[in-house]
Amino acid sequence: MSVRVQSAPFDVGAELQGFAQGLPGVGAQVSFTGIVRDDTGTLRHMLIEHYPGMTEKAIAAIEAEAVARWHLLDSLVIHRYGPLKPAEQIMMVATAAPHRADAFAAAEFLMDYLKSRAPFWKQEVTDQGAEWVAARDADEDALRRW
Amino acid sequence: MNVMYFAWVRERIGLPQEQVETKAATVADLVAELKAREPRYAAAFADTSALRVALDQELSSFDAPLKGVREVAFFPPMTGG
């Protein structure tokens, strides 16, 4: 299980190459990559703020919960902060399990919880100014299915 | 104790963190003390249902006791992922 919170870009291919490498019993690996989306064509950058210290602890707690619920052999969470341009990678999650059902479910669980329980805040910066992204009720509702 | 502010709470109050001397028993009591200080605090804490609080880096609630707590953080609902 590992957590990295960083401003630097990451290489998904290289990360997956090294992930769960040679772990006995791995039969499925799932990964998700979040990308900065520009819905209106006016986004200069997305600024991601976080709470150093709490962020790493919160993500580790979410990973521990995933391990308790599913048969997971390994997991990886990388989340960036700072100003990110449209189409840049924001974050990635990877899970490894003996079977795909556990790998898929745990990856979705990690994503749902990262969205509303890890201390990150997004601000959209356009030519018109800067605006904090409001949390969506749908993201909170998503937690109830687990 | 160290009191921290993030995202628009930080912008409204105008600083990322500060040392606060308080005898407040709960988070809600601390919020009441801060609101009484200056309008910028009153504006930031006008609607605590729009805010979240962490005590020593663990999510908590506004009715939680502050005894033994060293770091309090106030912020809007999180928008990671």
Side-chain angles (χ1 to χ4, degrees):
Chain A
M1 310 295 144
S2 64
V3 177
R4 276 171 26 216
V5 182
Q6 61 188 47
S7 60
F10 55 87
D11 177 340
V12 177
E15 295 296 341
L16 292 177
Q17 199 89 52
F19 175 68
Q21 193 71 42
L23 265 187
V26 172
Q29 185 175 300
V30 163
S31 74
F32 170 86
T33 309
I35 311 283
V36 177
R37 188 179 59 234
D38 181 6
D39 285 333
T40 56
T42 60
L43 187 70
R44 268 199 217 159
H45 63 259
M46 180 85 84
L47 183 66
I48 299 183
E49 179 172 332
H50 80 114
Y51 181 173
M54 178 173 170
T55 309
E56 292 81 356
K57 277 194 211 169
I59 298 174
I62 295 165
E63 275 192 320
E65 179 70 25
V67 169
R69 287 179 185 225
W70 290 281
H71 190 177
L72 273 192
L73 297 170
D74 203 359
S75 67
L76 167 69
V77 176
I78 302 176
H79 204 303
R80 295 177 67 194
Y81 60 87
L84 304 179
K85 291 198 159 48
E88 274 196 74
Q89 289 153 352
I90 304 178
M91 55 91 62
M92 71 170 284
V93 157
T95 54
H99 301 286
R100 72 172 186 273
D102 288 291
F104 272 117
E108 276 214 274
F109 170 90
L110 287 170
M111 282 310 309
D112 281 347
Y113 271 79
L114 281 167
K115 264 196 143 8
S116 18
R117 292 290 182 275
F120 289 100
W121 301 275
K122 291 196 186 100
Q123 187 183 51
E124 289 178 344
V125 180
T126 67
D127 291 341
Q128 275 69 51
E131 199 159 331
W132 290 101
V133 174
R136 301 183 321 147
D137 289 342
D139 291 336
E140 196 58 32
D141 291 346
L143 302 187
R144 286 198 205 113
R145 64 184 168 132
W146 300 110
Chain B
M1 66 179 66
N2 191 32
V3 181
M4 306 178 79
Y5 312 107
F6 290 95
W8 58 255
V9 183
R10 171 177 52 72
E11 290 180 342
R12 263 177 222 183
I13 290 174
L15 73 176
Q17 56 181 304
E18 60 184 324
Q19 289 297 317
V20 174
E21 292 298 325
T22 179
K23 292 197 167 62
T26 66
V27 175
D29 294 340
L30 173 64
V31 168
E33 280 182 15
L34 293 170
K35 281 173 81 171
R37 276 182 169 186
E38 283 178 55
R40 59 195 168 110
Y41 288 94
F45 290 107
D47 176 12
T48 51
S49 73
L51 294 179
R52 301 290 179 268
V53 60
L55 302 181
D56 290 332
Q57 305 190 349
E58 297 264 358
L59 272 181
S60 188
S61 61
F62 285 83
D63 56 8
L66 286 178
K67 192 168 165 34
V69 170
R70 286 180 301 180
E71 185 170 289
V72 180
F74 294 103
F75 42 78
M78 295 155 273
T79 52

